[in-house]
């Protein structure tokens, strides 16, 4: 036997043995702009499985999070959960709605085995023993909680995302700028393709603002559609939880599994018999054809940045080109007075209820305990002091504060808006999600000029969806917001999807991962 033949045999034996060994290197997967549909097709085709995908996303988090500081913790059980889901799929060959879909959870939503800190020192070591209602719903649908995300401390800030536990999150489209708040960690991470999608919470702005700033789709749903149980509150009378994704389709699929009555959140009783079983049927590409869209100039033209104004006017033109009838302007009688004094300070009562129900520590029962423990943030410290000394309605303390279904001022505001929508046969009202560009992190308070998110939907309870509207100079994203009637999510899905598909403004960020190490 020749030396060449002997060498060939030895090499064949070597590779036959080593080829069977499992490599620790994650499978190469192109994570850019993945969707649930693409992922599930890959699972069915055997291109990769959920373990491969989770490993790839974890690798991406370790690489990119250095620049944006969006992720607070990676779930150490994510791979083992993926392994179980893969084994189940091999047995059944059936995929659950979100099977093997990695998602990111804002750090104020109770998640078993992972800290839920709300960005605060007081809760820095709080690890819930039970999941929030929506987490159980997502897990039951097959989703994998891959990580938790940074947030503005106690969700106080719409302007920026800074916590005592994790520091400041950067906008991936321009690292010197804010991703807005308070769900800026989820927004920056999802925009950067560190997971399929994520959850944010929205008291006044915090799903839609960060989604707009980070070129994402964000759903603030009707108050009552989705349970807020197990979530650290800001003002529970306004709070919602919802999806933040790169596409309307994925946001719809996430939202759909979260909907449902929860006896631990009584407001969800109002949604009974008002929700379709299948929201994805409303993903209609030509959904704007024949629709009637109103333009609320009282919001869209108020101190608007010229570049955002240009994008909004182009969006109106696009709505028209895509088949909608644009009613411009729409005037809500007495709008300026109806919007006044809608906010009520309920943080003290709400957070103390959360502490008693979930945290259960003798040393942490009151807002004074939170203040005593302290904060690294001057902004949070100022807000805690204000919330400790004041409760009730700002501006009109003699008028009772209640939920969107019983509060007289909230009902009057909603009734006026929906009456105009009915009279003009409008399917939705539109305006820029923010009238101004993202601010620089160094000047987040000085350069904050207000946003449109906090004016209507948090008080009336109506759903409001933001969709990418394009970019202003500096590579800074902007969003278009659709406001609908109560429980009109099907209509908003149809309109938002059609606008998204007709304009394709979403694009991934490109940034230097070493800039903020």
């Amino acid at each position: 036997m020749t030396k060449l033949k002997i060498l060939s045999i030895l090499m064949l034996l070597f590779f036959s043995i080593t080829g069977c060994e499992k490599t620790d290197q994650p499978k190469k997967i192109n994570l850019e702009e993945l969707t649930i549909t693409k992922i599930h097709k890959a699972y069915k085709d055997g291109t990769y499985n959920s373990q491969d995908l989770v490993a790839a996303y974890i690798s991406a988090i370790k690489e990119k999070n250095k620049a944006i500081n969006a992720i607070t913790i990676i779930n150490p059980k994510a791979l083992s959960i993926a392994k179980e889901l893969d084994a189940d799929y091999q047995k059944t060959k059936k995929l659950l709605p979100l099977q093997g879909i990695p998602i990111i959870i804002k750090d104020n939503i109770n998640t078993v085995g992972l800290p839920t800190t709300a960005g605060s020192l007081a809760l820095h070591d709080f690890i819930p023993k039970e999941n929030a209602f929506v987490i159980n719903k997502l897990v039951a649908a097959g989703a994998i909680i891959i990580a938790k995300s940074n947030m503005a401390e106690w969700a106080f800030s719409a302007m920026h995302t800074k916590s005592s536990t994790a520091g400041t999150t950067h906008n991936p489209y321009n690292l010197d700028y804010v991703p807005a708040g308070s769900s800026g960690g989820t927004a920056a991470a999802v925009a950067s393709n560190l997971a399929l999608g994520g959850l944010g919470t929205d008291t006044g702005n915090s799903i839609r603002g960060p989604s707009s700033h980070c070129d994402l789709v964000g759903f603030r749903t009707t108050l009552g559609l989705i349970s807020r149980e197990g979530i650290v509150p800001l003002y529970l009378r306004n709070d919602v939880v919802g999806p933040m994704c790169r596409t309307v389709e994925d946001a719809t699929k996430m939202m759909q599994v979260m909907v449902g009555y929860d006896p631990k959140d009584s407001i969800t009783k109002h949604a009974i018999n008002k929700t379709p079983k299948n929201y994805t049927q409303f993903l209609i590409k030509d959904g704007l054809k024949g629709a009637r869209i109103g333009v609320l100039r009282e919001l869209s033209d108020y101190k608007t940045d010229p570049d955002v104004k240009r994008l909004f006017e182009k969006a109106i033109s696009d709505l028209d080109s895509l088949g909608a009838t644009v009613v411009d302007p729409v005037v809500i009688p007495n709008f300026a007075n109806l919007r006044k004094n809608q906010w009520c300070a309920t943080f003290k009562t709400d957070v103390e209820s959360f502490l008693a129900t979930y945290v259960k520590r003798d040393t942490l029962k009151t807002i004074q305990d939170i203040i005593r423990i302290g904060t690294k943030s001057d902004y949070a410290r100022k807000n805690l002091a204000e919330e400790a000394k004041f409760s009730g309605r700002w501006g009109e303390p003699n008028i009772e504060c209640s939920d969107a279904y019983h509060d007289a001022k909230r009902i009057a505001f909603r009734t006026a808006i929906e009456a105009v929508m009915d009279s003009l046969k409008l399917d939705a009202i539109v305006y820029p999600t923010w009238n101004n560009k993202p601010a620089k992190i160094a000047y987040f308070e000085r350069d904050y000029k207000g946003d449109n998110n906090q004016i209507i939907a948090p008080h009336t309870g109506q759903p409001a969806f933001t969709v990418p509207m394009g970019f202003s100079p500096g590579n800074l994203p902007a969003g278009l917001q659709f406001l609908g009637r109560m429980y009109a999510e099907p209509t908003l899905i149809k309109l938002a999807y059609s606008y998204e598909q007709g304009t394709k403004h979403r694009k991934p960020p490109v940034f230097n991962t070493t800039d903020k190490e």
Side-chain angles (χ1 to χ4, degrees), residues 74 81 111 146 168 213 216 258 276 288 337 373 411 448 473 497:
I74 296 171
I81 293 167
T111 314
I146 193 170
T168 299
H213 276 28
L216 295 178
M258 296 162 64
L288 280 165
N337 285 322
I373 293 167
I411 293 169
Y448 173 72
Y497 181 72

Side-chain angles (χ1 to χ4, degrees), residues 127-168:
I127 300 177
K129 295 180 180 178
E130 296 181 353
N131 284 326
F133 181 87
V134 290
I135 299 298
N136 281 333
K137 296 273 278 185
L138 290 163
V139 170
I144 299 171
I145 312 304
I146 193 170
K148 297 197 77 171
S149 59
N150 195 28
M151 60 178 284
E153 191 164 338
W154 296 111
F156 283 151
S157 178
M159 298 179 278
H160 73 321
T161 293
K162 182 179 181 180
S163 67
S164 286
T165 50
T168 299

Side-chain angles (χ1 to χ4, degrees), residues 27-28 182 236 244 248 267 272 276 358-359 371 384 394 412:
K27 184 174 285 189
K28 293 284 186 181
S182 62
L236 190 60
M244 302 168 70
V248 173
I267 201 170
I272 295 173
Y358 301 103
V359 182
I371 292 170
L384 284 168
W394 282 307

Side-chain angles (χ1 to χ4, degrees), residues 233-359:
L234 178 49
Y235 301 148
L236 190 60
R237 66 193 292 274
N238 303 98
D239 292 347
V240 301
V241 58
M244 302 168 70
C245 296
R246 292 182 292 272
T247 69
V248 173
E249 181 175 341
D250 286 342
T252 300
K253 289 178 177 179
M254 278 188 66
M255 183 200 79
Q256 179 162 290
V257 304
M258 296 162 64
V259 171
Y261 172 66
D262 176 11
K264 291 184 179 179
D265 187 358
S266 61
I267 201 170
T268 59
K269 68 185 178 185
H270 296 284
I272 295 173
N273 298 324
K274 295 176 183 174
T275 59
K277 290 183 179 179
N278 177 21
Y279 283 93
T280 60
Q281 66 182 298
F282 304 106
L283 294 164
I284 301 168
K285 193 168 184 179
D286 61 354
L288 280 165
K289 286 185 178 178
R292 290 178 60 82
I293 309 293
V295 180
L296 188 57
R297 291 288 177 184
E298 197 160 353
L299 290 188
S300 67
D301 290 359
Y302 181 73
K303 296 182 179 179
T304 308
D305 178 273
D307 292 316
V308 175
K309 171 79 169 173
R310 175 180 51 80
L311 293 173
F312 181 64
E313 296 302 330
K314 178 63 167 63
I316 292 173
S317 175
D318 289 337
L319 292 170
D320 178 77
S321 299
L322 292 166
T325 297
V326 177
V327 181
D328 185 6
V330 166
V331 177
I332 311 295
N334 203 31
F335 183 82
N337 285 322
L338 287 167
R339 63 180 278 190
K340 285 182 181 178
N341 303 327
Q342 289 284 352
W343 287 108
C344 292
T346 62
F347 177 74
K348 180 179 183 294
T349 301
D350 292 340
V351 78
E352 288 178 358
S353 176
F354 180 90
L355 296 175
T357 304
Y358 301 103
V359 182

Side-chain angles (χ1 to χ4, degrees), residues 362-390:
D362 290 340
T363 56
L364 184 55
K365 291 183 176 182
T366 69
I367 192 170
Q368 292 300 334
D369 291 328
I370 293 171
I371 292 170
R372 171 180 51 78
I373 293 167
T375 173
K376 297 178 182 178
S377 165
D378 291 337
Y379 185 86
R381 187 178 298 109
K382 178 180 67 176
N383 278 268
L384 284 168
E386 290 176 356
E387 296 292 344
K389 67 183 180 183
F390 183 76

Side-chain angles (χ1 to χ4, degrees), residues 440-516:
K440 281 196 170 183
I441 290 172
Y443 309 108
F444 75 91
E445 286 188 274
R446 186 196 73 183
D447 291 352
Y448 173 72
K449 297 179 176 65
D451 61 83
N452 291 327
N453 296 320
Q454 303 189 58
I455 296 168
I456 301 177
H459 311 298
T460 64
Q462 294 167 260
F465 294 1
T466 186
V467 185
M469 187 171 71
F471 289 78
S472 63
N475 199 36
L476 299 171
L480 176 68
Q481 192 155 156
F482 291 84
L483 176 79
R485 294 175 177 82
M486 296 289 277
Y487 297 101
E489 279 79 7
T491 299
L492 294 191
I493 288 167
K494 182 172 68 171
L495 302 177
Y497 181 72
S498 182
Y499 175 76
E500 171 199 58
Q501 294 299 302
T503 56
K504 299 286 188 179
H505 288 304
R506 164 70 201 167
K507 67 178 182 180
V510 178
F511 55 90
N512 186 344
T513 57
T514 63
D515 280 355
K516 300 294 175 183

